[in-house]
Amino acid sequence: MQTERDQAPALSKEQLIDLLRTMLLIRFCEEQVIKSYARAEIPGGVHMYIGEEAVATGVCANLKHDDAVFSTHRGHGHALAKGMKPERMIAEVMGKATGCCGGRGGSMHLFEPSVGFYGTSGIVGPSILLAAGAGYTAKLANTDRVGVAFFGDGGSNNGAFHEGINMATAWQLPVIFVCENNLYATEVAFEYASKSPSIAGRAQGYGLPGFEVDGNDVLAVYQTASEAVQRARAGNGPTLLECKTYRFRPHAEGMRDSGYRTQAEVETWKQRDPIKFFSAHLLEQSVVEQAELEELEAEVKQIAEEAAAWARNSPMPDPASLADYLHS
């Protein structure tokens, strides 16, 4: 296992602003979803990505349009970072006909193949196997596409973790396995569920590179993911990234947020809010001025608000279309 590099990547001002813009878009869209859930505008449950924005942003900023991303039940951020339009995401969460799946998927079944986003899933661990399949497809087709699997610390204890990583390593497939270790699988602490404290450290047993990354530092995630993607495109096989991060909300909206973790722990992690952390870095490095940050925040917040309003005003699916897209 290795940790992230000390040297920050050399990115242009435009690239740095784009990283912040993506994190802000995820944050503000998720805040709109929370409001819609409170208004009972959303059928079913939703799992917020607030607090983990740096992981999806840092990884997906290295991907091409046709690279294949596979996500989890907490996948709104991955979808937006890969290029899904915010109005399409929010409309789908609301079950509207204008959503990315016509209102048929909801929060845990978002798909947008046109941008290389091949879905969220409520099942634990399938992203690992699917990304390995995408990597195998890319290798057979002799392209430089990569497959990316996002999964949680709970998924690292699933059989799919062993099978997918073992196969990808044995066949040297172009895959990046990204574990978002937010310390809890629903309400079960990772330290309770496994006596193997380092997920990145498990890479040694499979024979692939493994890196432990500060998942709240978008530059650290970007740099480590960049190296992993370059290795994959060059034919040098998969990489396992463990991004240490933290969700600021309950496991799902409407669930308790205490009893399994302390408020002091939550507040400690909030002090390292990835957006505040990166914004402060840009100010310290004189990349932007405070006025530019405020202007960017206002611009992105308006985009999220307009996306939510568009989704809210969209029609529900026509009941007559119930049997559409079914296979007998």
Side-chain angles (χ1 to χ4, degrees):
M1 179 195 71
Q2 301 180 43
T3 57
E4 70 272 12
R5 312 297 193 268
D6 293 329
Q7 184 177 358
L11 299 177
S12 66
K13 176 178 179 177
E14 182 180 8
Q15 288 174 303
L16 293 169
I17 293 297
D18 281 345
L19 292 176
L20 180 57
R21 182 189 300 276
T22 299
M23 287 198 290
L24 287 171
L25 182 64
I26 295 170
R27 176 68 59 90
F28 291 145
C29 283
E30 291 292 67
E31 288 177 351
Q32 290 298 317
V33 170
I34 291 170
K35 292 177 182 178
S36 293
Y37 183 85
R39 297 190 190 107
E41 295 174 339
I42 296 175
V46 288
H47 304 76
M48 295 295 97
Y49 198 67
I50 291 177
E52 303 183 18
E53 294 91 347
V55 182
T57 298
V59 172
C60 291
N62 288 285
L63 302 179
K64 297 191 302 183
H65 191 75
D66 59 351
D67 290 327
V69 167
F70 300 86
S71 181
T72 70
H73 57 283
R74 197 179 308 282
H76 303 167
H78 307 140
L80 293 171
K82 191 58 173 70
M84 184 182 291
K85 299 296 184 184
E87 59 269 24
R88 297 262 293 166
M89 185 277 283
I90 298 176
E92 185 60 37
V93 172
M94 289 184 179
K96 297 301 185 73
T98 53
C100 61
C101 296
R104 287 165 164 76
S107 174
M108 289 194 285
H109 301 92
L110 302 170
F111 284 81
E112 194 79 287
S114 63
V115 299
F117 187 74
Y118 290 95
T120 56
S121 175
I123 303 172
V124 176
S127 60
I128 300 170
L129 301 174
L130 293 167
Y136 188 40
T137 300
K139 188 166 186 175
L140 288 176
N142 196 30
T143 71
D144 69 346
R145 294 176 62 194
V146 302
V148 179
F150 288 100
F151 58 98
D153 47 286
S156 71
N157 293 329
N158 189 295
F161 178 86
H162 166 82
E163 296 174 29
I165 288 182
N166 184 68
M167 184 179 75
T169 306
W171 293 352
Q172 288 293 278
L173 302 180
V175 186
I176 295 87
F177 298 103
V178 184
C179 179
E180 297 177 306
N181 185 356
N182 61 21
L183 310 186
Y184 295 93
T186 307
E187 297 180 359
V188 178
F190 180 69
E191 62 182 13
Y192 173 83
S194 175
K195 295 306 178 185
S196 175
S198 171
I199 295 170
R202 299 179 187 180
Q204 184 176 359
Y206 296 95
L208 77 161
F211 298 90
E212 184 179 294
V213 187
D214 180 353
N216 283 27
D217 181 347
V218 70
L219 291 180
V221 176
Y222 177 90
Q223 180 181 15
T224 311
S226 174
E227 295 169 1
V229 170
Q230 289 175 36
R231 274 193 298 274
R233 295 203 200 282
N236 295 322
T239 302
L240 172 62
L241 308 182
E242 178 187 4
C243 299
K244 292 287 189 71
T245 186
Y246 201 81
R247 55 174 168 79
F248 294 170
R249 302 289 298 180
H251 169 69
E253 291 305 295
M255 292 181 65
R256 68 173 185 163
D257 201 21
S258 61
Y260 66 96
R261 63 181 188 177
T262 66
Q263 191 59 39
E265 179 183 286
V266 177
E267 292 304 319
T268 296
W269 275 91
K270 283 185 176 180
Q271 296 304 310
R272 296 202 71 254
D273 182 315
I275 293 176
K276 293 180 180 178
F277 183 75
F278 187 50
S279 296
H281 171 77
L282 295 181
L283 288 171
E284 289 168 4
Q285 297 299 313
S286 300
V287 176
V288 296
E289 300 293 336
Q290 183 63 39
E292 290 181 88
L293 283 181
E294 293 174 0
E295 183 179 355
L296 178 63
E297 289 184 12
E299 174 194 335
V300 179
K301 192 169 189 177
Q302 183 176 352
I303 290 172
E305 290 173 349
E306 291 177 353
W310 182 87
R312 189 172 298 114
N313 293 324
S314 293
M316 296 296 288
D318 184 347
S321 70
L322 179 63
D324 291 356
Y325 314 115
L326 298 181
H327 298 274
S328 59

